[in-house]
Amino acid sequence: MERSMASREDNDGGSSASESEHQHALEVVFDDDNTKRRKSSLVSAENPDIVKQAAKKRANTSCFVHQLLENQSKPRKGHPVLSYNEDRNLDKAADPQDQAIHSRLLTKRQLSEMAVGVRELSKKLGSIRLKLKVKTIFLLTKAHDSDLIILTRNIAEWLLSRDRGTEYTVYVENTLEQNREFDAQGLLSPDPSYEGRLKYWDNELCKKHPHLFDFAVTLGGDGTLLYASWLFQRIVPPVLSFALGSLGFLTKFDYADYQETLSTAFEDGITVSLRLRFEATIMRTQTAQEDRKHDLVEELIGDEADNNLTHRPDGSYTILNDIVVDRGPNPTMSSTELFMDEKFMTSVQADGVCVATPTGSTAYNLAAGGSLCHPENPVILVTAICAHTLSFRPVILPDTVVLRVGVPYDARTSSWASFDGRERVELQPGDYVTISASRYPFANVMPQRTSGEDWICSISRTLNWNSRQKQKSFKEWEE
């Protein structure tokens, strides 16, 4: 079954949709009568009034998923048709209030409703095609790989050609502008119109104006796709990935067929798999050394004075694979404590702890002995890395909880946190990391077949999952 997506008219990279059409875009905020569920250490100290302001006036959103969630919630008559309209005001920077409303601050009910809404939408998107009006395309490749740079140039030239029938605007990484293999000047020479339609992106553009891009194409392996997720920390366009890496759990398309693949995607629509991402926030202790009680458990789940904020946020990251808290360069094992919502789970003496998404279950989680998990499962996987005990077993938690991994005050050494293998950050005793389901899942374009079959094929092809010679049957003896 195919459902057509009503698309916006693009006007110089902007939108012709009226402002009123976007006033009801989904935005998860606090109820007025329930502004805090957890202890004060989890409430943002940057702006105490931010939640109330967001509740009074909801900001517009350009998020692909949020737009569809809003359409999903509207009552419809007759045959349902999904409508996708985007507000693409390029001069408007990301709303700082929207950035401050983190999923770790949501109540249990709000977090559950958000997760259920994304799950329902994901099921629908897995069985329909989305027709998008694509005008601006984001290209990502390994900028240090000369072979992939040439392949990226081929795609850029093909997209810029007037033979496509649509004058696409193509963005490539700014490092390619002066690259000899890419040869930007040679690419622009055949047609003067190419010069205005070949543009360059950098990290800052992806961070401030992610709504600029209608569609993203990656050339590389799973690491390249993870980098795309890292670039788009919040709003992320649908991403189609060509398999040019080593394994390819997430890269589903063959580069040899790129012309047919992209033509079909733009003309006939795409099938999207929404991948759960985590939002991780570093929380720094504010307790002075001489005043510390040296009990992280008491600070996080014990009684606190209303205005005594024991921790402050120090950076948030949205990740697709995993968060790892390990011993880092320290020669001794790390000591960490795990909390689930307002409950203390356990203390972990190990080389580290890996908290993985279902997508990341085949990465570090698998190497540490964790379970394989289908990407559509709404769960959080927790696996110890070389635990100094025989009884610690990997656990699977629902995605409606807020997990915290902290370094106790009496730990012998600090620990180190990494996010999708990036941004290595030291956690001193008393610091911790909150981990919760992100409001911004990753929209991964899939081939036109069921995701269940595709995942099984992936683990069988890349990991030789359950591969062994078949047991021979008995040969009956005949008299």
Side-chain angles (χ1 to χ4, degrees):
M1 177 174 58
E2 181 174 318
R3 296 178 184 173
S4 178
M5 302 290 291
S7 58
R8 48 96 183 152
E9 292 295 331
D10 194 87
N11 182 17
D12 296 331
S15 172
S16 62
S18 65
E19 188 75 13
S20 61
E21 291 177 359
H22 307 286
Q23 291 300 321
H24 301 289
L26 177 67
E27 189 66 46
V28 186
V29 296
F30 283 120
D31 295 330
D32 291 336
D33 57 348
N34 187 12
T35 59
K36 186 176 69 173
R37 169 166 75 100
R38 300 179 182 88
K39 302 305 177 186
S40 60
S41 58
L42 284 180
V43 178
S44 174
E46 299 167 327
N47 189 348
D49 298 326
I50 196 167
V51 174
K52 294 182 180 179
Q53 294 174 2
K56 293 179 180 179
K57 182 179 180 180
R58 295 188 176 192
N60 292 341
T61 177
S62 303
C63 181
F64 172 80
V65 176
H66 286 189
Q67 289 284 346
L68 296 181
L69 280 172
E70 172 63 15
N71 295 325
Q72 175 180 271
S73 65
K74 294 179 180 178
R76 301 185 181 276
K77 296 181 181 180
H79 189 70
V81 177
L82 292 177
S83 175
Y84 177 37
N85 294 306
E86 291 190 78
D87 177 15
R88 296 181 180 273
N89 185 355
L90 304 186
D91 296 327
K92 181 180 178 181
D95 189 345
Q97 292 187 3
D98 179 65
Q99 293 180 352
I101 303 175
H102 299 285
S103 59
R104 75 177 192 277
L105 299 175
L106 301 179
T107 64
K108 186 73 172 179
R109 178 177 179 181
Q110 290 167 338
L111 197 57
S112 299
E113 288 177 351
M114 178 200 73
V116 169
V118 172
R119 287 177 213 155
E120 292 178 352
L121 177 60
S122 181
K123 290 179 181 179
K124 290 183 179 181
L125 294 181
S127 59
I128 63 176
R129 290 187 182 183
L130 307 179
K131 280 190 175 180
L132 309 176
K133 183 175 181 180
V134 177
K135 291 283 288 184
T136 305
I137 301 171
F138 173 93
L139 294 184
L140 174 64
T141 190
K142 298 177 182 178
H144 59 275
D145 191 319
S146 59
D147 291 338
L148 293 184
I149 291 174
I150 294 174
L151 299 182
T152 303
R153 187 185 191 277
N154 294 340
I155 288 188
E157 185 176 19
W158 183 81
L159 289 171
L160 291 170
S161 173
R162 292 181 181 270
D163 296 339
R164 305 287 75 77
T166 300
E167 293 191 351
Y168 295 115
T169 300
V170 179
Y171 278 82
V172 297
E173 191 170 357
N174 58 354
T175 57
L176 299 182
E177 186 173 7
Q178 304 300 327
N179 187 281
R180 288 183 298 176
E181 297 288 348
F182 189 76
D183 187 18
Q185 293 301 320
L187 180 61
L188 298 174
S189 58
D191 192 327
S193 69
Y194 289 5
E195 187 168 356
R197 294 189 288 121
L198 179 64
K199 300 184 179 181
Y200 302 93
W201 61 262
D202 56 18
N203 292 11
E204 197 67 18
L205 182 65
C206 296
K207 179 181 178 181
K208 291 186 176 181
H209 301 291
H211 50 278
L212 174 65
F213 310 108
D214 300 317
F215 199 78
V217 177
T218 69
L219 295 88
D222 290 342
T224 307
L225 190 68
L226 287 174
Y227 185 47
S229 173
W230 184 259
L231 289 172
F232 296 102
Q233 284 285 292
R234 300 266 174 169
I235 298 169
V236 54
V239 180
L240 186 150
S241 302
F242 289 107
L244 293 166
S246 301
L247 288 179
F249 283 105
L250 302 173
T251 52
K252 305 298 182 183
F253 296 91
D254 187 356
Y255 176 83
D257 303 323
Y258 78 85
Q259 297 183 11
E260 179 183 355
T261 299
L262 293 177
S263 297
T264 301
F266 299 154
E267 296 171 8
D268 299 336
I270 57 175
T271 299
V272 172
S273 170
L274 293 183
R275 297 297 183 107
L276 171 67
R277 294 201 292 178
F278 289 163
E279 178 189 280
T281 303
I282 299 171
M283 303 294 288
R284 299 293 187 185
T285 180
Q286 296 191 117
T287 307
Q289 182 68 38
E290 60 274 10
D291 297 332
R292 291 181 182 177
K293 300 177 181 179
H294 300 286
D295 190 351
L296 186 63
V297 176
E298 179 63 24
E299 284 192 350
L300 296 190
I301 67 175
D303 295 331
E304 290 182 318
D306 291 340
N307 296 323
N308 181 25
L309 303 182
T310 61
H311 292 76
R312 59 175 177 82
D314 184 30
S316 293
Y317 307 94
T318 302
I319 63 96
L320 180 60
N321 252 12
D322 50 43
I323 298 106
V324 176
V325 179
D326 58 31
R327 66 179 185 172
N330 299 314
T332 60
M333 63 182 176
S334 67
S335 176
T336 54
E337 293 178 336
L338 301 183
F339 303 83
M340 183 177 67
D341 287 338
E342 295 186 26
K343 296 182 177 64
F344 172 72
M345 286 182 61
T346 187
S347 296
V348 181
Q349 308 290 323
D351 277 356
V353 176
C354 177
V355 181
T357 66
T359 298
S361 68
T362 54
Y364 202 164
N365 170 78
L366 175 66
S371 174
L372 289 173
C373 182
H374 193 282
E376 292 181 5
N377 282 328
V379 295
I380 300 174
L381 295 93
V382 181
T383 305
I385 303 169
C386 297
H388 197 249
T389 174
L390 296 176
S391 58
F392 193 101
R393 291 293 180 268
V395 294
I396 300 177
L397 305 174
D399 64 348
T400 55
V401 304
V402 173
L403 190 70
R404 286 171 280 174
V405 182
V407 182
Y409 284 114
D410 59 356
R412 293 185 176 183
T413 63
S414 61
S415 293
W416 291 75
S418 62
F419 309 87
D420 273 351
R422 299 177 180 273
E423 290 295 327
R424 200 103 164 114
V425 177
E426 186 175 11
L427 301 177
Q428 297 291 345
D431 298 339
Y432 67 92
V433 179
T434 70
I435 302 166
S436 57
S438 171
R439 296 183 295 132
Y440 299 91
F442 187 84
N444 192 30
V445 178
M446 303 293 290
Q448 300 296 331
R449 59 177 180 266
T450 61
S451 59
E453 293 176 359
D454 183 78
W455 185 73
I456 294 298
C457 290
S458 292
I459 62 173
S460 298
R461 171 176 51 85
T462 58
L463 298 176
N464 294 321
W465 175 70
N466 198 33
S467 176
R468 82 178 290 276
Q469 185 177 359
K470 187 176 180 180
Q471 189 178 36
K472 295 180 179 180
S473 62
F474 287 118
K475 184 175 180 180
E476 297 291 340
W477 179 75
E478 297 179 1
E479 294 184 2

